[in-house]
Amino acid sequence: MKLRKVSAAAAAALVLSLTATACGGDDEKDSGSGSSGGETIKVGIKYDQPGLGLKEPGDKFSGFDVDVATYVAKELGYEPDQIEFVETKSADRENALARGDVKFITATYSITDERKQKVDFAGPYLLAHQDLLIKSDSDITKGTDLNGKKLCSVTGSTSAQNVKNDIAPDAQLKEYGTYSECIAGLQSGAVDAVTTDDSILAGFAAQEQYKGQFKLAGLKLSNENYGVGVKKGDAATVDKINKALEKMVSDGAWDKAVKDNFGPAGYQNEPAPKIGVIVS
């Protein structure tokens, strides 16, 4: 009986030892390989904006916002294969950050006072402007030339209405479901111009199938300061991203990303904005 009791005790000790070792192994695995504390990082982007955030066949992603996100993630300790890009549509960006679905968002996310009540922003990393995309041989050279013309924007956007209210009251507004439909309408002659941020328009114009067909009017109808959205209160991540953006500009990667994604459209981009400086 005594021998059996000793054996049982030894067995119990062995089980405890193995359990402790297993738990230690799990903790080590959970620490992840990225310096931010995880094996992957989830980043919010748009999936349907050529030149900015586009999901391509084979689960590949391209665009200026994608390049910015990849550079920032690298500075946070993640290699490209550790990035999981998550589609974040405009209406769900604040919720995605609040829920923790993504660590940060680069998705033509203009910094506004209203949005800053819900999320924090790093940047800005690009100063865009509302503009017009027109055919290469168009006679439209100023906003008032839109009087009597057909102006396209997407349903729910205020861009076209702003033009009609403030610049060309006789413009004929056309609302389509997507910018791709607006571009197709411009190509066919169904509309005379498309309006939204110049960066978005340049991205479409730079696509191979539209090469040489369109141009930007260069009217700079508004200022849009694109920032990197971060969960409200996460000051540490904002600081790290700002440092990453400053490095991206200083080492030339920012200029290269602009030329690679917008160059074919002849996009006259503004210089890289200074961190924390919002152009109103």
Side-chain angles (χ1 to χ4, degrees), residues 72-83:
V72 167
K74 174 75 172 178
E75 292 302 302
L76 294 180
Y78 298 90
E79 297 299 325
D81 62 358
Q82 293 176 284
I83 304 171

Side-chain angles (χ1 to χ4, degrees), residues 2-280:
K2 185 175 182 180
L3 179 60
R4 184 176 298 173
K5 289 181 179 179
V6 171
S7 299
L14 179 60
V15 170
L16 287 173
S17 175
L18 291 174
T19 302
T21 301
C23 289
D26 286 344
D27 289 343
E28 184 177 352
K29 182 178 180 181
D30 288 344
S31 67
S33 56
S35 64
S36 296
E39 292 189 349
T40 62
I41 185 170
K42 293 183 178 181
V43 180
I45 62 168
K46 294 288 183 66
Y47 275 16
D48 59 352
Q49 291 183 339
L52 286 154
L54 183 67
K55 183 177 182 180
E56 300 181 358
D59 284 337
K60 295 182 179 179
F61 300 91
S62 65
F64 182 71
D65 282 347
V66 173
D67 289 347
V68 170
T70 302
Y71 190 100
V72 167
K74 174 75 172 178
E75 292 302 302
L76 294 180
Y78 298 90
E79 297 299 325
D81 62 358
Q82 293 176 284
I83 304 171
E84 180 181 345
F85 287 115
V86 178
E87 183 177 24
T88 50
K89 297 181 179 180
S90 296
D92 195 44
R93 287 178 298 201
E94 288 82 13
N95 290 332
L97 288 170
R99 291 190 303 259
D101 295 346
V102 294
K103 184 66 174 178
F104 64 85
I105 293 176
T106 53
T108 59
Y109 206 176
S110 296
I111 301 172
T112 66
D113 289 337
E114 180 181 1
R115 287 172 178 162
K116 285 193 290 186
Q117 301 301 312
K118 301 177 181 178
V119 303
D120 286 337
F121 285 99
Y125 64 89
L126 183 71
L127 175 59
H129 307 281
Q130 184 183 339
D131 201 357
L132 306 175
L133 189 68
I134 54 181
K135 283 191 172 181
S136 296
D137 59 355
S138 174
D139 59 357
I140 296 174
T141 59
K142 55 187 183 296
T144 54
D145 290 338
L146 289 169
N147 282 311
K149 303 284 189 181
K150 296 174 182 177
L151 177 64
C152 188
S153 192
V154 299
T155 303
S157 170
T158 60
S159 299
Q161 190 62 54
N162 289 343
V163 171
K164 185 174 179 66
N165 290 345
D166 303 332
I167 299 172
D170 293 328
Q172 302 173 36
L173 304 188
K174 300 291 182 180
E175 288 190 339
Y176 291 171
T178 66
Y179 285 114
S180 295
E181 294 177 72
C182 280
I183 301 300
L186 181 61
Q187 187 179 38
S188 69
V191 299
D192 300 297
V194 181
T195 187
T196 187
D197 296 356
D198 53 7
S199 59
I200 297 173
L201 297 173
F204 277 103
Q207 288 188 291
E208 186 64 30
Q209 66 264 39
Y210 300 133
K211 191 173 182 179
Q213 296 184 44
F214 308 130
K215 65 182 179 181
L216 292 165
L219 301 186
K220 297 184 179 180
L221 302 175
S222 71
N223 294 321
E224 306 295 335
N225 299 272
Y226 289 175
V228 181
V230 177
K231 187 174 182 178
K232 189 71 176 176
D234 190 356
T237 298
V238 169
D239 183 61
K240 290 176 183 178
I241 293 176
N242 279 335
K243 287 182 171 61
L245 294 174
E246 289 173 344
K247 182 178 178 181
M248 186 177 185
V249 172
S250 65
D251 68 11
W254 188 91
D255 283 326
K256 183 179 185 303
V258 169
K259 291 176 183 177
D260 288 348
N261 292 291
F262 303 127
Y267 179 47
Q268 300 299 312
N269 64 283
E270 298 282 1
K274 293 182 179 180
I275 298 300
V277 178
I278 307 299
V279 180
S280 59

